[in-house]
Amino acid sequence: MSRAHEQGPTAPPGSAGEVASVGGSAVDDAGRAETPTGRVGGGWRAVLGYWLAVYKRIWRSTVISSFLAPLLYLAGMGYGLGALIDSGDRTAVPGVPYVAFVATGLVAAQAMMTASAETTYNVFGAIKWLRTYDAMLVTPLRVVDLVRGHLVYVLMRLTLVAGVFVLVSLVLRAMDGPLALAAVPVAVLGGLSFATPIYAFSATIQREEGFNVLQRFVIMPLFLFSGTFFPLAQLPMGLQVIGWISPLTHTVALTRALGLGPDSPLWLEPWRFAAHVAYLALWAGAGYLLAVRALRRRMVL
Amino acid sequence: MSLIRATGLRKTFGDFVAVDGIDVEVAAGESFGFLGPNGAGKTSTMRMIGATSPVSGGELTVFGMDPASHASQIKARLGVVPQTDALDEELRVRENLLVYGRYFGLTREQVRARTGPLLEFAQLTEKSDAVVESLSGGMKRRLTIARALINEPSLLLLDEPTTGLDPQARHVLWDRLFRLKRDGVTLVLTTHYMDEAEQLCDRLVVMDHGRIVAEGSPRSLIAQHASREVLELRFDVADHAERVEEVAGIAERVEVLADRLLLYVHDGDGALETVAARGVHPLSALVRRASLEDVFLRLTGRSLIE
Amino acid sequence: MATGTTAAPARHALPFPVAMARPAALVERNLRAARHYWLTFVSGFFEPVFYLFAMGVGIGALVGSVDVDGREIPYAVFVAPAMMATSAMNGAVYDSTGNVFYKLKHSKLYRSVLSTPLRPWDIAAGEISWALLRGLIYSAAFLLVAAVAGFVPSWWALLAIPACTLIGLGFAAVGMAATTYMRSWNDMDYVQLAILPMFLFSATFYPLATYPPALQWVVQATPLYHGVDLVRGLMMGDLHVGLLVHVGYLAVFSALGLWATTRRIGTLLLT
């Protein structure tokens, strides 16, 4: 039940100073290295630099929600509940231990959680509380740089979170085979399919109350009803439809296929692989366009 | 009858001495000011009077009661306007007054009856259902004052009431405070603005490094520690100390600031003529009445706002 | 001009004794604020319900039934009380950490409140009462939903509502005390560190007997275990003396939290 996520209106006053310094140095660099196309400024790399600087300062406190929480879920649901399920006569997937079923689902769910945590209060705070974006936009940085830099940072965070989880799962034998490593980029893509639309949402809302609604009416239900802990097929038809709209269901289908390997009953034919990836890419891409548009509307009046 | 009586009052935070033994007495109906730069110990003093900060040493009574044992009773009769507004942003403008009144144990009817006139007083009637966040700085300040008046306090504590406001908003606020004063509310305020102290205070103490360095009415302090008028001279030099020689003997006292010389004189225009007669030609010259700023400079060797 | 020197006991005061008149002012404040954030209020009800159906229906289909003291219990019946108890914990912790931290550090609400006749104890009592009131509404609504879904076999379940209030009291009080030590929002993650393992391992999703004996002792030491087992006993109509032990544990837990909170708010704000 991850309610409180890593950053509330995170960074204490100090970080406003960091914005200035990161943004500032970027401008200096670019002043010297003006490109032939005439583009001035540090671009999205400077924005990425800001978020990395913030992360460097607060990473310790994210260890719990990023790395420990998914492992606790794996232990509690996968092993604990798994003992109960595997001893009975019913299973999630025949021949697959419940812990493997959960591990291959959790990696995707965790990517969604991380994406949501990194694009809600962080974006809203940068707009409204810390006014980080205001400070950035008085430099040559453009709105697209802000969105891209932030999303590249999210991408890095997702890679780290999914990578660690897959490695631990491999060590615990909850995932199997070299293909499991391919679950990492898939989980990252799945994370981005949430990060970009949520970014757009965060740049649009006026009051942070929207995040409670997002968390409880979108993220939480999807976490529970996207096939992470039990097959979607067990739900009534109406809920299954919602499940199939959810990008998480598609991410889980992919990570589960890769994490369990080609011999499992959940392995996918190539065209199904492609279809799931395309669906996720669609969300990520459309979300990106919406995010840029929303932030431009908000910041450039 | 004195509402506040402090003798040898001290406030320390660990090794740091914020208030270093001050004696203060404020009578009912008075308008009393603590003047001093940031860090002089004004806010610490105000918080002790407001019974939200324990006294470290010396004696303090408010309404004849000891804040240590009668905090709630004292607070019930006080109005407090803190340095930062600290309004309840989760509530609307009118609700801020309603809810605050309930903290004092007022009945809903009482609070409702008082809210209208207070909004009127704060010139916020049209804004009564607005979100607090949408108010301007001056409006928020007036709302904070209105909120502090909900319990009809006999003593109003104002910590830096106009800091951060634009000149027009300050004048509106001063006007409101004048009305309260006229209605017999005792005002105790801190400020680092001389004009504010001169406008609002019948009597004030000048504080520096936790101590009181002077006390009196604004007029008497100026008479005592400055001359009647001040002649300000600016020269085109890096260091104004170079030009002190040229004006020697003209003034009772000369202060050298980074960007100008201050000549303390009885007759400013006369002094300016003398300067010109000596063949000294400043970039600019200004004659003005002496102010509390000059008093402070004289007493501490520093200016109030740095 | 001076008005009444002490908070006059409010005339309307019905559910609160006179000593609660001042805390009641803070409850009233929160109620007013909640009106502007009603969607958040409503959304709080759905979370445990989502969990109930995910676990009861989704996982329930995989598990079938659970063996509790030799009786076979449908999984949904087993897990529903756990969801009700953990939601009481979560709600109380959420109110007393995040919301209180905001008021302590950001809105400076308590600073304003302390310049009125309210004392630190009034603030602690007011905030916790509010958390309990809110939790009471959620618990009752949850119980209704669970009963309609057929997961509640006994009428004793009605007593699970006050039991959840006791769970809420303990966690709200301790949570608020913990909040006074928080430096920034990042510290909320440490709150998660305490809550999440309890949520997962307090005999919530599977019986205590699933654990090896050594771990059973650890589980039994946690406050949520006592909450879950108490609510489960009541909802399944399985009354025994052990339930009183749970009540005693939670009462002591609450008292410690209240004592610590009052002390900490005083030292933090009245300096």
Side-chain angles (χ1 to χ4, degrees):
Chain A
M1 288 205 168
S2 16
R3 222 144 182 197
H5 261 292
E6 35 257 77
Q7 7 254 292
T10 172
S15 60
E18 274 175 56
V19 184
S21 69
V22 174
S25 71
V27 176
D28 285 346
D29 290 348
R32 270 174 264 127
E34 198 166 321
T35 57
T37 53
R39 246 190 67 199
V40 181
W44 62 265
R45 283 185 188 81
V47 179
L48 171 64
Y50 164 73
W51 288 110
L52 289 177
V54 172
Y55 184 62
K56 210 168 129 190
R57 198 160 46 74
I58 57 132
W59 69 270
R60 273 179 207 85
S61 68
T62 68
V63 166
I64 293 161
S65 59
S66 295
F67 305 113
L68 205 57
L71 292 180
L72 286 172
Y73 266 97
L74 185 63
M77 301 301 236
Y79 289 103
L81 197 56
L84 204 59
I85 292 175
D86 293 342
S87 68
D89 46 6
R90 278 170 279 194
T91 55
V93 181
V96 176
Y98 187 66
V99 66
F101 182 83
V102 167
T104 49
L106 265 179
V107 65
Q110 180 58 18
M112 173 186 75
M113 292 296 202
T114 305
S116 148
E118 292 289 356
T119 51
T120 47
Y121 288 102
N122 277 353
V123 172
F124 194 76
I127 292 170
K128 198 168 166 182
W129 293 320
L130 299 172
R131 305 206 169 267
T132 315
Y133 283 168
D134 278 334
M136 286 177 171
L137 287 175
V138 298
T139 76
L141 292 171
R142 300 163 306 160
V143 167
V144 280
D145 297 326
L146 269 50
V147 179
R148 272 183 215 164
H150 196 130
L151 288 174
V152 172
Y153 161 71
V154 174
L155 186 142
M156 292 168 80
R157 285 274 286 128
L158 288 169
T159 310
L160 187 66
V161 166
V164 169
F165 187 83
V166 167
L167 287 179
V168 173
S169 299
L170 282 169
V171 170
L172 295 174
R173 316 273 315 177
M175 290 189 197
D176 212 8
L179 270 177
L181 289 174
V184 176
V186 166
V188 172
L189 177 63
L192 286 178
S193 72
F194 281 99
T196 59
I198 294 176
Y199 191 113
F201 175 76
S202 305
T204 308
I205 58 169
Q206 297 293 328
R207 307 197 323 167
E208 65 263 39
E209 189 183 21
F211 294 136
N212 292 328
V213 176
L214 177 77
Q215 176 67 25
R216 286 173 176 164
F217 289 130
V218 181
I219 302 296
M220 175 57 55
L222 293 190
F223 177 70
L224 294 170
F225 299 106
S226 293
T228 319
F229 298 111
F230 52 87
L232 209 56
Q234 276 167 223
L235 293 175
M237 202 52 213
L239 279 176
Q240 279 193 46
V241 172
I242 296 173
W244 280 106
I245 295 170
S246 156
L248 181 57
T249 307
H250 298 266
T251 318
V252 168
L254 289 166
T255 52
R256 197 158 274 155
L258 294 165
L260 297 177
D263 301 329
S264 87
L266 295 181
W267 183 250
L268 300 170
E269 299 127 65
W271 74 269
R272 282 186 185 273
F273 260 109
H276 286 307
V277 168
Y279 186 73
L280 295 177
L282 189 70
W283 272 93
Y288 171 74
L289 296 177
L290 286 174
V292 173
R293 209 170 77 129
L295 191 65
R296 186 167 286 137
R297 280 206 181 153
R298 187 69 175 264
M299 302 304 299
V300 186
L301 298 170
Chain B
M1 175 212 154
S2 41
L3 297 187
I4 302 170
R5 179 173 304 183
T7 329
L9 183 63
R10 281 170 59 82
K11 179 72 201 183
T12 52
F13 297 98
D15 289 339
F16 176 71
V17 181
V19 180
D20 195 3
I22 61 169
D23 301 330
V24 170
E25 201 162 340
V26 178
E30 223 186 343
S31 232
F32 184 87
F34 290 95
L35 177 72
N38 292 330
K42 297 169 296 178
T43 299
S44 296
T45 307
M46 291 291 255
R47 293 197 56 218
M48 286 191 281
I49 296 170
T52 53
S53 173
V55 170
S56 308
E59 308 236 323
L60 174 67
T61 58
V62 184
F63 303 116
M65 293 180 280
D66 179 358
S69 55
H70 291 76
S72 287
Q73 286 86 338
I74 290 172
K75 289 168 180 175
R77 297 171 61 184
L78 277 182
V80 177
V81 177
Q83 210 173 91
T84 47
D85 289 314
L87 290 163
D88 199 328
E89 302 219 345
E90 291 177 83
L91 302 176
R92 302 297 156 89
V93 168
R94 175 191 294 277
E95 287 178 320
N96 260 275
L97 301 181
L98 292 174
V99 164
Y100 204 74
R102 299 283 292 155
Y103 295 151
F104 287 90
L106 302 174
T107 64
R108 289 205 179 80
E109 297 75 45
Q110 279 174 314
V111 180
R112 229 174 269 139
R114 291 177 192 183
T115 304
L118 280 175
L119 284 172
E120 193 73 32
F121 169 80
Q123 293 160 305
L124 289 168
T125 307
E126 272 103 81
K127 294 277 179 186
S128 65
D129 290 318
V131 177
V132 171
E133 211 186 345
S134 70
L135 301 184
S136 72
M139 288 176 182
K140 281 186 186 168
R141 210 68 190 134
R142 296 204 299 274
L143 179 57
T144 305
I145 293 174
R147 189 179 72 169
L149 295 171
I150 193 79
N151 58 326
E152 299 187 341
S154 42
L155 171 58
L156 187 61
L157 303 178
L158 302 123
D159 198 358
E160 308 268 355
T162 66
T163 299
L165 298 186
D166 63 61
Q168 199 204 342
R170 294 182 76 200
H171 281 282
V172 173
L173 206 71
W174 284 345
D175 172 64
R176 299 293 107 177
L177 294 176
F178 270 130
R179 286 173 194 232
L180 290 175
K181 197 177 158 206
R182 195 190 56 204
D183 294 344
V185 179
T186 309
L187 303 180
V188 172
L189 58 107
T190 74
T191 182
H192 57 238
Y193 296 119
M194 294 57 56
D195 52 350
E196 187 159 280
E198 288 176 44
Q199 287 263 359
L200 294 176
C201 301
D202 304 327
R203 200 159 62 83
L204 55 92
V205 290
V206 180
M207 282 188 81
D208 191 36
H209 296 307
R211 291 169 185 278
I212 291 176
V213 291
E215 178 173 0
S217 69
R219 196 174 288 268
S220 74
L221 282 171
I222 293 167
Q224 223 177 313
H225 300 283
S227 54
R228 199 172 75 93
E229 291 190 333
V230 183
L231 172 60
E232 297 195 358
L233 301 175
R234 286 171 201 269
F235 294 95
D236 183 20
V237 287
D239 182 0
H240 276 74
E242 296 169 17
R243 313 301 287 259
V244 175
E245 284 296 303
E246 297 170 31
V247 296
I250 296 175
E252 299 159 27
R253 196 162 57 82
V254 178
E255 286 283 350
V256 184
L257 301 186
D259 60 341
R260 64 208 139 121
L261 293 179
L262 302 183
L263 280 66
Y264 291 93
V265 294
H266 181 73
D267 172 16
D269 290 322
L272 183 56
E273 278 168 31
T274 317
V275 169
R278 285 193 188 180
V280 177
H281 297 290
L283 278 181
S284 69
L286 168 75
V287 176
R288 60 169 173 83
R289 290 175 59 93
S291 73
L292 287 171
E293 170 83 57
D294 301 300
V295 172
F296 190 78
L297 193 63
R298 173 70 188 274
L299 291 169
T300 66
R302 292 177 294 117
S303 62
L304 269 168
I305 302 170
E306 280 160 342
Chain C
M1 270 197 95
T3 44
T5 47
T6 47
R11 269 184 242 149
H12 69 285
L14 288 171
F16 300 100
V18 176
M20 290 301 278
R22 287 192 277 208
L26 201 61
V27 171
E28 191 181 327
R29 181 259 162 216
N30 287 341
L31 191 63
R32 275 187 179 278
R35 278 192 210 161
H36 299 300
Y37 297 87
W38 62 271
L39 205 52
T40 302
F41 191 92
V42 171
S43 72
F45 159 74
F46 284 94
E47 190 166 299
V49 170
F50 286 145
Y51 258 92
L52 176 64
F53 283 97
M55 293 299 141
V57 178
I59 301 287
L62 300 179
V63 175
S65 58
V66 188
D67 177 66
V68 180
D69 303 329
R71 278 191 297 157
E72 288 291 313
I73 311 277
Y75 188 66
V77 173
F78 174 80
V79 90
M83 293 301 102
M84 186 164 165
T86 51
S87 128
M89 169 184 81
N90 275 321
V93 168
Y94 181 69
D95 261 341
S96 65
T97 55
N99 287 356
V100 166
F101 184 70
Y102 171 77
K103 293 172 186 170
L104 202 60
K105 292 284 163 74
H106 289 265
S107 76
K108 310 249 189 274
L109 175 71
Y110 299 147
R111 214 167 255 283
S112 312
V113 169
L114 283 177
S115 61
T116 76
L118 269 70
R119 297 154 302 167
W121 191 87
D122 301 320
I123 292 182
E127 286 295 356
I128 291 166
S129 305
W130 166 245
L132 295 185
L133 212 61
R134 202 169 132 144
L136 193 70
I137 296 167
Y138 289 154
S139 296
F142 180 92
L143 191 62
L144 188 68
V145 171
V148 169
F151 301 158
V152 183
S154 165
W155 278 99
W156 287 106
L158 285 175
L159 283 181
I161 297 175
C164 282
T165 304
L166 182 60
I167 296 170
L169 175 63
F171 281 99
V174 171
M176 199 164 165
T179 305
T180 61
Y181 289 97
M182 276 174 57
R183 293 149 303 173
S184 76
W185 285 105
N186 299 323
D187 289 344
M188 281 294 284
D189 267 39
Y190 297 105
V191 175
Q192 283 300 103
L193 183 62
I195 294 304
L196 189 58
M198 272 198 273
F199 169 63
L200 289 167
F201 301 111
S202 297
T204 26
F205 297 111
Y206 33 90
L208 185 65
T210 317
Y211 295 98
L215 277 179
Q216 288 187 19
W217 282 101
V218 178
V219 170
Q220 283 174 298
T222 66
L224 184 59
Y225 167 76
H226 293 275
V228 168
D229 211 54
L230 174 62
V231 175
R232 189 169 279 150
L234 293 168
M235 273 174 81
M236 304 200 324
D238 186 10
L239 303 192
H240 54 93
V241 190
L243 298 189
L244 290 176
V245 176
H246 297 325
V247 171
Y249 180 105
L250 292 170
V252 172
F253 183 62
S254 307
L256 284 176
L258 282 173
W259 173 77
T261 299
T262 305
R263 258 180 65 109
R264 284 287 302 164
I265 290 191
T267 46
L268 211 61
L269 294 177
L270 297 174
T271 55

